[in-house]
Amino acid sequence: MAGSFVEIQIPQQKLYSGIQFPVVITPSPAASFTLSAFTKTIEAQKPYLEAQLRKSGAVLFRGFPVNSASDFNDVVEASGFEEFPYVGGAAPRTNVVGRVFTANESPPDQKIPFHHEMAQVPEYPAKLFFFCEVEPGSGGETPIVLSHIVYERMKERYPEFVDKLEEHGLIYNRVLGEDDDPSSPIGRGWKSTFLTKDKSIAEERAAKLGMKLEWLEDGVKSIMGPIPAIKYESTRQRKIWFNSMVAAYTGWEDARNDPVKAVTFGDGSPLPAETIYDCLKVLEEESVAIPWRKGDVLLLDNLAVLHSRKSFSPPRRVLASLCK
């Protein structure tokens, strides 16, 4: 507890080594919170909040007066975390205000599989904020799962597979159209992926990310890797399942992309389907899915936690902000 913040427990939380996942913070009953009181408390309590994030990997703020995208932008600014520019990600998203974007705009009937944000490129955000502006009609949770737990369970179950992942890493292949295709969860076109209309600038920006481009008649194939699939996270001294393998293999599907070809071992050999689907089960078993309430703000450590999205019935508007 810190000042006017109170930690509470909710039924969906999981307990790992005595630590709640996620930590849930609400206003103390005695405090009457305006938005500016909330942002000031965030500024004043930054060491406490960073300690909670380091300990748990995820912090949910519930019951605070955050009503609009610009309120949410104020909360993100108050955190003091630097903005992360969204270059190289796969999801179609739109800038709403300041540092705030729509979360993945793919259709409501589609699930978005578990992933670390931008784990398929060498530069990725360290922290993510999500904000529920409009509560879902039903469904639409953003399930979260601790990456080191996934690593431990997979290592126990498939030691040879995990050894091969650690040795070779992964290669990701994705075909991008010219413009955004909002009907696809990976429908971000090459122009908005690389923030340019010029093919040679796109190639330069791709090369900076370690990505090769092969131009096609109506788009481009991007090849990323081999890049590591398992990382050692030095702050917490543990290995994490830092990859988009399950997401790519089970979800990178649209008119241009066949998910089975979307990801391979770093030596080019195919991944075993059975193991991937078992990993999906592990992710689901260990995950926490908290139904969104209007005004909820969820802060994730992108190195500790994978996230996903369940399908939903509209309306639902969840906004996001990526930080370094």
Side-chain angles (χ1 to χ4, degrees), residues 5 32 45 54 71 76 94 97 119 126 132 144 161 163 167 172 190 192 196 205 224-225 277 295 303 308 310 323:
F5 286 162
S32 64
Q45 298 295 348
R54 196 161 46 246
D71 291 357
V76 173
T94 312
V97 59
C132 178
I144 53 176
F161 171 75
D163 287 348
E167 187 185 341
Y172 300 95
W190 68 262
S192 70
T196 180
R205 291 188 176 158
M224 171 58 80
Y277 282 97
L303 276 164
S308 64
K310 292 196 177 188
C323 306

Side-chain angles (χ1 to χ4, degrees), residues 25-60:
I25 292 174
T26 61
S28 78
S32 64
F33 265 95
T34 57
L35 178 68
S36 78
F38 181 36
T39 56
K40 285 194 177 85
T41 309
I42 288 174
E43 285 167 10
Q45 298 295 348
K46 191 171 177 188
Y48 159 77
L49 292 172
E50 287 193 310
Q52 294 305 312
L53 190 61
R54 196 161 46 246
K55 186 175 77 174
S56 172
V59 178
L60 174 65

Side-chain angles (χ1 to χ4, degrees), residues 33-298:
F33 265 95
T34 57
L35 178 68
S36 78
F38 181 36
T39 56
K40 285 194 177 85
T41 309
I42 288 174
E43 285 167 10
Q45 298 295 348
K46 191 171 177 188
Y48 159 77
L49 292 172
E50 287 193 310
Q52 294 305 312
L53 190 61
R54 196 161 46 246
K55 186 175 77 174
S56 172
V59 178
L60 174 65
F61 298 92
R62 173 162 277 180
F64 293 94
V66 188
N67 293 309
S68 66
S70 78
D71 291 357
F72 174 48
N73 193 60
D74 290 352
V75 170
V76 173
E77 290 283 356
S79 73
F81 302 135
E82 208 182 320
E83 182 173 10
F84 181 92
Y86 188 57
V87 180
R93 43 174 108 218
T94 312
N95 185 216
V96 180
V97 59
R99 295 169 57 171
V100 173
F101 286 78
T102 54
N104 191 321
E105 290 168 337
S106 64
D109 59 339
Q110 296 184 1
K111 285 182 184 166
I112 297 169
F114 280 103
H115 60 288
H116 283 279
E117 194 62 37
M118 298 174 72
Q120 76 281 9
V121 288
E123 288 182 27
Y124 42 80
K127 300 172 192 76
L128 318 172
F129 280 97
F130 291 101
F131 160 63
C132 178
E133 188 178 27
V134 179
E135 249 173 66
S138 67
E141 298 94 337
T142 300
I144 53 176
V145 63
L146 282 164
S147 196
H148 72 287
I149 300 288
V150 180
Y151 172 80
E152 284 163 14
R153 289 205 42 195
M154 289 300 290
K155 178 81 177 166
E156 201 177 293
R157 215 178 271 194
Y158 299 104
E160 284 166 16
F161 171 75
V162 173
D163 287 348
K164 187 168 178 184
L165 269 186
E166 296 201 50
E167 187 185 341
H168 294 289
L170 291 165
I171 292 173
Y172 300 95
N173 302 292
R174 190 162 61 89
V175 177
L176 292 72
E178 195 164 312
D179 299 308
D180 288 3
D181 169 7
S183 71
S184 160
I186 52 161
R188 200 165 177 223
W190 68 262
K191 288 179 178 174
S192 70
T193 298
F194 301 111
L195 308 175
T196 180
K197 291 177 179 164
D198 181 322
K199 287 185 178 179
S200 59
I201 293 176
E203 282 176 13
E204 275 170 37
R205 291 188 176 158
K208 271 195 189 135
L209 295 168
M211 197 185 276
K212 290 190 280 290
L213 298 184
E214 291 175 5
W215 295 98
L216 311 167
E217 254 175 57
D218 60 345
V220 65
K221 181 181 181 183
S222 70
I223 301 150
M224 171 58 80
I227 59 171
I230 310 292
K231 276 192 191 307
Y232 178 74
E233 204 230 326
S234 48
T235 338
R236 299 179 180 88
Q237 300 189 323
R238 60 195 188 194
K239 284 184 176 177
I240 53 171
W241 193 254
F242 197 79
N243 60 67
S244 300
M245 177 185 80
V246 172
Y249 197 93
T250 64
W252 284 15
E253 184 169 11
D254 61 14
R256 293 180 189 85
N257 290 277
D258 167 3
V260 174
K261 293 178 186 156
V263 59
T264 63
F265 279 117
D267 62 0
S269 58
L271 297 169
E274 201 178 300
T275 311
I276 308 248
Y277 282 97
D278 215 31
C279 182
L280 180 58
K281 269 197 212 125
V282 168
L283 287 159
E284 281 168 356
E285 282 164 15
E286 297 293 344
S287 71
V288 170
I290 298 169
W292 282 112
R293 287 194 195 158
K294 180 172 170 52
D296 279 353
V297 173
L298 177 64

